[in-house]
Every structure is written in structure tokens, then in C-alpha cells.
Amino acid sequence: MIPVPLLVFVMGGWCAVYLTDTLLKSSVKHRIRYESWLAGRGLMLSPFHVRWQTTMFNRLFAYCARINPRAQYLWFNSGLVFGVVAMVGSVVLLIRTLQQTLAQMTSDNPRMGNQQTLQVVVPGINLPTSQLAYFFMALLLSGVIHELGHAVAALREQVRVNGFGIFVFVVYPGAFVDLFTTHLNIISPVQQLRIFCAGVWHNFVLCLAALAFLFLLPIFLFPVYSTGGGALVSEVVQGAAADGPRGLSVGDIVVGLEDCPVKGVEDWSSCLSHLSHSPQTGYCVPSSSLQPSWAHGRAFKRLDGTFDCCSNNSLTDLCFSYMKPQGKNSKEREYACMPVRKMVTGTQVCRTAEDCTAHTEVASICVTPSLENQTRFIRVTHPPNTHMLFVGYPPHLQYAVSLTNFVPRFSFLHLDLPVFLETFCKYVVSLSGALAVVNSVPCFALDGQWMLNALLEATLVTVVTDRQRRELIGFFLLLAGSALLAANVALGLWMVTAR
């Protein structure tokens, strides 16, 4: 559910703004001055909506429209082709997403929700409140670039731009450009199509640029941040499995999980996944280190069929199992409650008893922690500190820490800078790509409406000569596109909020 404090803050803020606006507009003394103040600053207020419009960027738009006219002609023609293709592709994608949503509604498999290309985002439910700043900044940037494309394309086609603005609807920010409608209506359909497609085209380009920046980030940060030397701990969840005096700390560099080397965050995740689905690792210990008092532990059976021999709930001891040293053909296992750190520190891992005899001349045996079925014992290597010893379900260790691939070369550098850049780029890729898809849908009130109308006027004039028939065809296509988008949004919201 949406966090109550966030909901109260948003509703309370909008109520305060709307109440203040109503009181000032109803005041005989302050009404004229207040309305003049709003008009002078280009502000408009309505319930759950505020927008600001200005002409200060018109010169910038005009300057951009004059840069290399031939290159821009090719650029916006490419946008026209992309827009037409995206309009068809967005319909296909929405149909596929709707099918996936309906399949998920009738299935109990929770993983099916992660297979959807498009998902409805609701702050506080499937968007962490800690990442709202990334979401809103990326959404605003994507909207500004979208409208910049419309403005420059319009000026190239001799359509006047009245102004540029930014708005906030409930909590979602956005941008818009006000085009002179008379100029827009007298240009050819192809010219209109270049203008209407420019927004989604620039969103697509921004998505590609953010994706390229994300992949090249290690190169850009190479002078100040190194990669490939391990995964740097950037955050440890307080009270989680990795927290504690001998746990992980911010700034530690993890280089290994058992015998699985860790060179980055991807290795960390893959190693934990491998350890989760593999049998428990054993450790080669000298036979002489097995003290007689340890070897006589009484093993008792757990409910899941595994054995335990440490009945005192000790935090330093762990039950180990091993084959009896007498006779290679012996299949009888013994259990011993041993001091875990002493037994596994500096020892070689093993899967079978032969692994120990092949790499050392000292008589050694392979001892394996005797744990519940899904529980694993994992040594986390983070030099120069001693191993962190973890006993539990491996995914819990993954959720307990946040890691990054970037290790600062200098002590004064902030650990979170690469994390911020990575996260922001990922949001820009997702949101700018989503805006390109959604705005391409032939739906009322979206760019797709004007793109479809201009496309029909440009292609059906010789086939359907009656303008009213062309408009009727466009109306039914828009109606179908709007219904498709509405169904995706409605079912997507239901899936997010109901589950």
C-alpha cells in the first residue's frame, strides 16, 4: 500500500495550496494584485495541478533551429520515420503487455510480473520512496527533452512557439510547449508529422544516450574510480545479516564468496545464486586438529531430516559432519560441534575427501557444516579484515548490503557518486523509453493522436478523398488505441495495488 505519511503530505500540501489560492482570489483587497502576480510570472493553479510558462527560452529554441539546416532536415526526417514505426510498435507492445497481464492475473507464479516490458509505476508501492528523487528528476529531464524536440522542429517548419512551460500534476512533473495553432494548421501534413514525431524521437535518442553513458561510465570515471578489483560495500542494512562487529562495513571491498571470486556486483549476485543452488562447501582440516572431545558430539535429527550436534545455541560453534578417518571405504558419518572460525580460517575448500588428500601432504579430512536444507555457511572475503562468516539463506545476505563496482582511488572521493550516476541513468533509460512508447500510442490527448491524424492526411488523400471519412477512420483508430492504453493502465494499477 502507499505509505500513509507520503499520502498525507501530498494531500495536505495540495489542500493548503488550493485553499490559499481560493482565499486570495475571493479577497476583494488582494484579488487583483494576486492575479496580476500570477499572470506576470506565468503561473496557473487548479486542483492538483500547477504550471509555469515562460518565453525566456524562445531565443534558445530559435538558435538551435538554425544550426546546420541540412543536418537537421535529415535528423527530423529520421524522427518522422521513427515516429511512424514507434506508433505501430507501441500498439503491438501494448497488446503483448495486456496479454501478459491477463496471464499473470490467472496465474499464481509471482515471477510472471517481472517478465512484463511495461509496468505501471506507483510511488510507495513498486517504486521505493528512497528513490523518488531519481524518478522525478529523470521524468522531468525526459519531458524537457521531449518538448525541446517539438519546439525546435516547429521553428524549422516556420511555426511560432508561444512559450515553454513546466507543470506538476499531483506529484508527477512534466513539460510542454505552446505552439501557434494557426501556423500549425496551414503547413503540410508531412511538416506536421515532423513536429509531432520530434518529441518521441528525442526521447528515444535520450534513452540511447543514457544507455551509452551507463556502459561507458567505468571509462569516464577511470581517473578517479577503479573497477574489477572487487565489490565495494556502499551501505549495510542495520540489524541485517551482514551487520555487526565482524560483519561488513561501508568501504569494505568484497573479493570472494567461498571459492567464488568476486570482481564486481554482478559476480556477487551470481556467486550467491550459485551457492544457493549448490551443495554446502566443505573445508580441509588436519586430522590432528579434531580433538577427541569434539568428535563425541551427540547428533540429533531436525524436522527436515538434517542433523545437528550443537544443542547449546552457541554463537561461536557449529556442527560439522565428516567421514570416519579409519578406512577409505567407510560410509559412516560422524558429527562434531566445533569452534567454527578456528576450523575454517585459512583452510582450503573441498567437495569430497579426495580434494583434501590431493593438495596437501598433511593428513586432512573434509568437514562440512551440517545445516538445514536451504541454509548455507558462507565465508565472505574482504581483506585486510578476517573473513565474515555467514550462516543463513543466501538471498538474505544479498538484501543486507548495497554494493558498487567503483572503488575510489582517493580518500576524499564520495562513495555514492557512481551509485547516483548509475541509478539516475537507469531511470532515464526506463522513463525516457517509456515516454517514447506511450506518447506514440494513437490515443486521445497524446502525441499519437496528432501523429495519426497527420499520417492519415498525408497518405489517404488519394485513397479516401472525403475529409470527413478520413476523420472518421482516425476517430475509430484513436478510440481503439485509447481503449487499449486504458485497459493496460487499469489492469496494471489493479495488479500493482491488489497484490
Side-chain angles (χ1 to χ4, degrees):
M1 295 182 62
I2 300 176
V4 175
L6 178 63
L7 185 63
V8 171
F9 175 78
V10 172
M11 296 299 295
W14 277 112
C15 288
V17 170
Y18 184 66
L19 180 61
T20 303
D21 179 66
T22 303
L23 290 176
L24 289 174
K25 285 183 177 179
S26 61
S27 171
V28 177
K29 181 179 180 180
H30 301 289
R31 177 182 177 180
I32 297 177
R33 184 183 300 177
Y34 174 64
E35 290 181 347
S36 299
W37 181 83
L38 289 177
R41 285 159 179 78
L43 290 171
M44 290 184 62
L45 292 173
S46 58
F48 300 102
H49 182 267
V50 58
R51 76 173 192 169
W52 167 72
Q53 183 172 338
T54 181
T55 59
M56 68 172 63
F57 299 107
N58 285 13
R59 289 186 178 181
L60 176 62
F61 297 150
Y63 172 77
C64 293
R66 292 193 298 268
I67 298 175
N68 201 335
R70 180 171 178 78
Q72 289 204 28
Y73 176 78
L74 296 174
W75 176 262
F76 286 106
N77 275 336
S78 301
L80 184 152
V81 174
F82 171 80
V84 174
V85 173
M87 186 163 50
V88 178
S90 64
V91 173
V92 174
L93 185 59
L94 284 180
I95 292 174
R96 181 173 177 80
T97 303
L98 186 61
Q99 291 174 340
Q100 291 173 340
T101 304
L102 292 173
Q104 186 186 358
M105 292 172 63
T106 58
S107 173
D108 295 328
N109 185 3
R111 294 185 179 181
M112 290 191 66
N114 298 327
Q115 299 174 358
Q116 289 181 276
T117 306
L118 293 176
Q119 288 185 338
V120 176
V121 176
V122 181
I125 297 182
N126 59 349
L127 174 66
T129 54
S130 59
Q131 296 192 355
L132 285 178
Y134 293 109
F135 176 81
F136 290 133
M137 286 191 298
L139 187 60
L140 182 59
L141 175 63
S142 301
V144 169
I145 296 299
H146 178 100
E147 299 303 330
L148 174 64
H150 284 313
V152 176
L155 289 170
R156 282 200 71 262
E157 305 298 342
Q158 306 303 314
V159 175
R160 190 177 76 191
V161 176
N162 295 328
F164 166 83
I166 294 174
F167 68 88
V168 176
F169 177 70
V170 188
V171 294
Y172 295 96
F176 65 92
V177 287
D178 182 14
L179 303 180
F180 191 53
T181 307
T182 303
H183 289 176
L184 192 60
N185 290 334
I186 62 176
I187 61 177
S188 69
V190 174
Q191 290 176 298
Q192 293 177 358
L193 199 54
R194 289 196 196 101
I195 297 173
F196 297 142
C197 293
V200 296
W201 169 238
H202 279 74
N203 275 139
F204 175 70
V205 172
L206 176 62
C207 178
L208 292 182
L211 195 61
F213 183 83
L214 188 62
F215 280 112
L216 295 175
L217 192 58
I219 298 175
F220 294 146
L221 297 181
F222 179 77
V224 288
Y225 290 88
S226 64
T227 57
L232 178 71
V233 178
S234 59
E235 183 183 2
V236 180
V237 177
Q238 189 175 5
D243 191 25
R246 291 192 175 183
L248 296 176
S249 302
V250 174
D252 287 351
I253 301 176
V254 179
V255 297
L257 295 171
E258 290 300 341
D259 56 343
C260 186
V262 174
K263 295 183 179 180
V265 178
E266 295 78 12
D267 291 339
W268 164 271
S269 300
S270 62
C271 286
L272 282 177
S273 177
H274 172 72
L275 294 172
S276 298
H277 299 93
S278 301
Q280 174 63 55
T281 305
Y283 305 93
C284 296
V285 298
S287 301
S288 59
S289 66
L290 291 175
Q291 297 182 12
S293 59
W294 295 345
H296 295 291
R298 290 185 178 180
F300 57 91
K301 208 170 189 178
R302 300 189 183 97
L303 294 177
D304 63 349
T306 59
F307 287 87
D308 192 8
C309 56
C310 295
S311 57
N312 58 352
N313 296 323
S314 172
L315 297 178
T316 59
D317 297 340
L318 193 66
C319 184
F320 289 83
S321 69
Y322 56 94
M323 304 302 294
K324 278 188 174 182
Q326 299 86 0
K328 294 184 178 179
N329 296 325
S330 175
K331 298 297 182 181
E332 185 178 353
R333 280 198 167 270
E334 287 199 353
Y335 296 87
C337 187
M338 307 176 186
V340 59
R341 186 171 291 277
K342 182 177 179 180
M343 296 301 296
V344 304
T345 300
T347 58
Q348 175 192 335
V349 297
C350 58
R351 302 293 179 183
T352 63
E354 287 75 15
D355 294 337
C356 298
T357 57
H359 296 88
T360 179
E361 297 179 356
V362 181
S364 300
I365 61 172
C366 184
V367 298
T368 305
S370 180
L371 302 168
E372 294 175 283
N373 287 330
Q374 293 186 335
T375 304
R376 295 290 184 272
F377 173 82
I378 301 174
R379 293 184 304 183
V380 181
T381 307
H382 56 121
N385 304 301
T386 57
H387 290 97
M388 186 194 85
L389 306 182
F390 169 80
V391 179
Y393 187 42
H396 293 169
L397 182 58
Q398 187 166 4
Y399 301 142
V401 293
S402 297
L403 301 144
T404 176
N405 292 322
F406 298 90
V407 180
R409 297 183 186 273
F410 308 101
S411 58
F412 63 86
L413 292 173
H414 206 286
L415 298 178
D416 292 334
L417 176 60
V419 177
F420 169 80
L421 294 175
E422 278 186 311
T423 308
F424 181 67
C425 284
K426 290 177 182 178
Y427 271 97
V428 170
V429 170
S430 299
L431 293 175
S432 191
L435 283 178
V437 171
V438 173
N439 270 293
S440 300
V441 179
C443 171
F444 292 108
L446 294 179
D447 285 350
Q449 175 183 357
W450 316 113
M451 291 163 58
L452 178 65
N453 289 337
L455 181 63
L456 294 179
E457 288 297 319
T459 57
L460 294 184
V461 174
T462 57
V463 179
V464 183
T465 56
D466 187 3
R467 184 182 180 87
Q468 290 185 344
R469 289 187 179 181
R470 293 197 301 270
E471 291 178 350
L472 189 63
I473 293 172
F475 173 79
F476 282 112
L477 290 176
L478 289 173
L479 193 63
S482 301
L484 179 62
L485 181 61
N488 272 276
V489 172
L491 292 180
L493 280 173
W494 184 84
M495 291 298 297
V496 169
T497 56
R499 293 191 177 185

